[in-house]
Each structure stands twice: as structure tokens, then as C-alpha cells.
Amino acid sequence: MPVLAIFKAEGDPDDLLARYDRTLSAASASSPVRPEVHVCARTDSGIVIVDVWASREDLLRGVVDNDEFQARWSDAGWPEEVVDVYEIHNQGWPAM
């Protein structure tokens, strides 16, 4: 079942976006799977990353339990994140 993963990082948005831009390419290269959708946005107090994964297992294998991915984020000085994961009931609007 597909899942929606929301990662929230608090801190200076400009600093966090710069770390994200420097780190994402190398970190994602270590992932054996990729999200179906990936969005990063500035918030008033940091940034939020929203992913849609084909399954919870893909999310775990690709990011959460991927030691190399996590090491790259850690090496970049990434702060602790709040992570929420939800099973997706529907994706997309009905066709007209």
C-alpha cells in the first residue's frame, strides 16, 4: 500500500535549503528505490519534505533504514526531523 511521508526540519530555512541542495543528489544515489513524488518546501520555521512511496517497505529501504543515506544527511549537519507516515487512501482527483 502506498504511503505519504512528511519530514519536518526546524531551523533557519535558508541554511536547511542549502544543506538539502548540497546533499540530496549524493544521498539519493545510495537509495535502491525512489519515491513516486518528492517535494521540498520552505516553512516559516524550517523546511518540509513530502514524499509518496509505493510502500512503507520502500520508504524504509530507501531512506529510513538506509545507513548510507542517513550518514550523508548526518554528515551535512542535518537536524533531528519529525517524521509522519500515513497510508494513502487515494491519489489524484477523479477524471472529468
Side-chain angles (χ1 to χ4, degrees), residues 12-53:
D12 175 49
D14 292 330
D15 176 58
L16 291 171
L17 289 172
R19 289 173 193 267
Y20 169 90
D21 289 343
R22 286 192 307 267
T23 309
L24 181 63
S25 182
S28 63
S30 72
S31 182
V33 292
R34 296 189 178 267
E36 296 174 3
V37 175
H38 174 84
V39 178
C40 175
R42 170 191 302 270
T43 68
D44 290 339
S45 60
I47 68 171
V48 62
I49 297 168
V50 179
D51 289 344
V52 173
W53 291 84

Side-chain angles (χ1 to χ4, degrees), residues 31-91:
S31 182
V33 292
R34 296 189 178 267
E36 296 174 3
V37 175
H38 174 84
V39 178
C40 175
R42 170 191 302 270
T43 68
D44 290 339
S45 60
I47 68 171
V48 62
I49 297 168
V50 179
D51 289 344
V52 173
W53 291 84
S55 67
R56 185 178 300 267
E57 292 75 22
D58 280 358
L59 167 63
L60 295 174
R61 192 166 49 116
V63 175
V64 176
D65 293 338
N66 181 331
D67 291 338
E68 188 175 343
F69 188 98
Q70 292 299 322
R72 293 199 184 265
W73 282 122
S74 179
D75 291 347
W78 200 253
E80 284 291 317
E81 298 171 309
V82 174
V83 182
D84 294 310
V85 179
Y86 306 94
E87 290 183 353
I88 294 176
H89 172 73
N90 181 52
Q91 267 180 277

